[in-house]
Structures are given as C-alpha cells and as structure tokens.
C-alpha cells in the first residue's frame, strides 16, 4: 500500500435505528477522518435472518453486496451498540452471513471498533465480544485507542452531532491508528 494511495474503510453499524448514536458516531468518523482515508457505510438493514437452507442456495443480494464491499475495503470500522452485554443481533447476523465460504471476506482485514451506548461502560462488553469474533474471522482490530462512548444520550445533541470533545479526540486518534495499521499489515504492491 503506497503512501500515495488512499485507504478505503467500510463502516458497519450494528443499529438500524434512525437516530442511532452508533450511526452518528460513524458520521463523526467521516467528519474527522484523516485525508488519507475514505469511509463508506454499509447498509445492512435488509439482510435477512441467517438461514443455512437459504445460504446453500446462494447469498441473498444484500449479503452479496456486503461481501463485495468487505472484500473491496482495505479496512473495516465497526460501530457497535451493546445489547444485553453483547453486540446487537443485527450486527452478529450480518457478520454471520458475510463470513460464510467461499472466500471468507473478513480474513486479513485491518479493523477498528467503536461503540456508543446508554450505559456507563460505553459498549465495552459488546466490543470484547466482537473482538472475540474477530479472532475466528481473522480480522485484525487495532487495540488502542478504545472508543467507548458511555451515556451516549449526554454526548450527542438532538441532531446526532457528537458534542463530547474527548470522544471526538478518541475517534480522530483511532482513525489515524487504523490508517497506519492498514498500511502496515496489508501493503499494496
Ligand atoms: C435489547 C437492548 C438491550 C440493551 N442492552 C444494553 C446493555 O447491555 N448495555 C448498555 O449500555 N445499553 C444497553 N441498551 C441501551 C442501548 O445502549 C441504547 O438503546 C443505544 O441507544 C443503542 O444504540 P443506538 O443508539 O446506536 O441504537 C440496550 C438496548 C436494547 C434495545
């Protein structure tokens, strides 16, 4: 990956809610990204519930699209809510679909994980569950900085703008780390 070439990042949000704090965090990432990366956000809203009987007949079109986007991206950026101390079913379902053979598209991808939640822990438990899935998927997430946006209702305004300066700084630093990491682990020839 030459320094001249930009890094393409696919954002994947685990919430379908219109006013989602996690989607707002992804928008913040787009706002704060360094010039060397572009961020596209996947639409996982029409992915059906995983069914192996359907899978053996072929991936549904929204899954094909997601798999293609993952394959094409240099890196992934997950924005995960925390549902009952884990990632949302919506996110896990999308990951499960995209992960099936052939050509598991996540393998070898650089990634970063962030999350916004109502609780104090800022989706820490969901993020660690997602990191566990990354092991099996052979995704390589950066370790730091962690972006844990707790009590999200106090950190975004009514328009979904992230007003918390510390959180904005963590997102900015995470994107710099992600760009460096993606260039390091997957140099383009
Ligand atoms: C089913 C469900 C489970 C939840 N469990 C947790 C939880 O374990 N920890 C937490 O901090 N918030 C929890 N929440 C609250 C979410 O943090 C909150 O709804 C948040 O806004 C979800 O992210 P979003 O704004 O991106 O949709 C839960 C919400 C739902 C709907």
């Amino acid at each position: 990956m030459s320094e001249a070439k930009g890094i393409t990042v696919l954002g994947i949000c685990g919430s379908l809610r219109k006013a989602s704090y996690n989607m707002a965090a992804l928008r913040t990432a787009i706002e704060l990204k360094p010039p060397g990366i572009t961020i596209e956000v996947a639409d996982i809203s029409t992915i059906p519930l995983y069914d192996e009987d359907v899978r053996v007949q072929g991936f549904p079109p929204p899954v094909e699209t997601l798999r293609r986007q993952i394959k094409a991206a240099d890196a992934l950026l997950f924005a995960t809510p925390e549902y009952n101390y884990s990632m949302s079913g919506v996110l896990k379902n999308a990951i499960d679909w995209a992960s099936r053979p052939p050509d598991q598209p996540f393998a070898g991808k650089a990634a970063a994980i962030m999350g916004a939640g109502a609780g104090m822990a800022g989706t820490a438990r969901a993020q660690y569950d997602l990191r566990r899935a990354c092991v099996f998927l052979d995704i390589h997430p950066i370790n730091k900085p962690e972006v844990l946006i707790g009590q999200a209702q106090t950190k975004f305004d009514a328009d979904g703008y992230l007003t918390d300066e510390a959180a904005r700084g963590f997102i900015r630093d995470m994107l710099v780390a992600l760009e460096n990491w993606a260039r390091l682990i997957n140099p383009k020839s």
Side-chain angles (χ1 to χ4, degrees), residues 1-9 36-37 71-75 108-110 178-189:
M1 204 168 286
S2 88
E3 286 297 320
K5 283 218 169 179
I7 299 292
T8 59
V9 176
I37 70 176
K71 263 183 218 160
D74 296 311
K109 294 285 173 192
L178 178 62
E179 180 181 358
N180 292 338
W181 181 232
R183 291 188 192 281
L184 185 71
I185 70 167
N186 195 12
K188 277 182 182 159
S189 53

Side-chain angles (χ1 to χ4, degrees), residues 117-145:
M120 298 287 284
T123 75
R125 294 154 297 220
Q127 292 195 28
Y128 286 118
D129 271 6
L130 179 51
R131 283 180 182 277
R132 197 153 50 110
C134 286
V135 174
F136 185 67
L137 296 165
D138 197 23
I139 297 172
H140 305 298
I142 57 168
N143 290 324
K144 291 197 172 173

Side-chain angles (χ1 to χ4, degrees), residues 50-67:
Y50 187 84
D51 183 337
E52 180 71 6
D53 294 338
V54 173
R55 205 270 304 175
V56 294
Q57 292 168 42
F59 290 114
V63 177
E64 283 286 14
T65 300
L66 179 62
R67 283 168 56 87

Side-chain angles (χ1 to χ4, degrees), residues 18-87:
K18 277 195 188 68
S20 162
Y21 296 124
N22 286 282
M23 191 57 92
L26 273 181
R27 286 197 304 273
T28 307
I30 291 168
E31 178 198 339
L32 299 178
K33 70 180 177 55
I37 70 176
T38 56
I39 304 176
E40 176 192 10
V41 178
D43 177 8
I44 62 170
S45 66
T46 58
I47 293 180
L49 287 176
Y50 187 84
D51 183 337
E52 180 71 6
D53 294 338
V54 173
R55 205 270 304 175
V56 294
Q57 292 168 42
F59 290 114
V63 177
E64 283 286 14
T65 300
L66 179 62
R67 283 168 56 87
R68 209 169 37 245
Q69 289 175 307
I70 293 167
K71 263 183 218 160
D74 296 311
L76 307 172
L77 173 56
F78 292 101
T80 180
E82 182 169 278
Y83 279 8
N84 298 313
Y85 281 19
S86 188
M87 73 184 100

Side-chain angles (χ1 to χ4, degrees), residues 99-117:
S99 70
R100 300 315 294 156
D103 301 325
Q104 199 273 79
F106 291 111
K109 294 285 173 192
I113 298 171
M114 61 179 176

